[in-house]
Amino acid sequence: MINTYQPAMLDYSQQEREQLSEHFTLKEMVRSATAARLGLKNTPDDLAIYHLRLLCSHVLEPLRRRFGVIRITSGYRSKPLNDAVGGAEFSQHRYGMAADIYVPNAEVGKKMYDFIRTKTDFDQLIYEYRKKTRTHWIHVSYNPERNRKQAFMKYIME
């Protein structure tokens, strides 16, 4: 008789419906147009999911309570996805510790940036603006071992 035992595992569709916090799901934290376009898997391991839960509860939930629904444009990134988008080799996105947040305009972006900076515990906070496309976003990370409270604004002139 051949042993066909397989350990019980959540399939990806079950896993992506998983709630990370009251208002955030794993699905929205792994969603990526680039991964879909290139056919890349973007499935976090248990440690990355743990980090995403912390990021959601310590930073994203307080931000949502203050500003209403927020849109995550980039959360967890697998190594192939991170490479495809030109992310840093040891980007906190790769470990589930970072998210990029859509900012509709400079006024809202500044208010969100100031709120995160003064009201939450975070590791790194960057308000980014790309002049060529006139797009704004906020990168924020949370590290369970040490939050440096690094905050700055970055203007990309290209």
Side-chain angles (χ1 to χ4, degrees), residues 95-114:
Y95 308 100
M97 294 180 182
D100 293 342
I101 303 162
Y102 168 78
V103 173
N105 59 57
E107 181 182 350
V108 172
K110 178 77 169 93
K111 288 177 182 177
M112 292 170 87
Y113 175 89
D114 286 339

Side-chain angles (χ1 to χ4, degrees), residues 3 27 49 71 73 97 99 123 140:
N3 183 355
K27 181 178 182 176
I49 293 171
R71 191 170 96 212
T73 58
M97 294 180 182
D123 184 45
V140 65

Side-chain angles (χ1 to χ4, degrees), residues 41-91:
K41 288 184 84 172
N42 195 38
T43 308
D45 61 19
D46 289 342
L47 182 58
I49 293 171
Y50 170 74
H51 289 148
L52 286 167
R53 284 184 194 286
L54 293 174
L55 174 65
C56 289
S57 63
H58 289 277
V59 181
L60 300 179
E61 282 293 342
L63 188 67
R64 188 187 191 285
R65 281 192 296 276
R66 170 61 180 82
F67 290 92
V69 176
I70 59 174
R71 191 170 96 212
I72 305 303
T73 58
S74 182
Y76 170 79
R77 294 183 200 148
S78 64
K79 181 175 180 356
L81 176 57
N82 193 62
D83 291 347
V85 300
E89 183 178 356
F90 296 104
S91 168

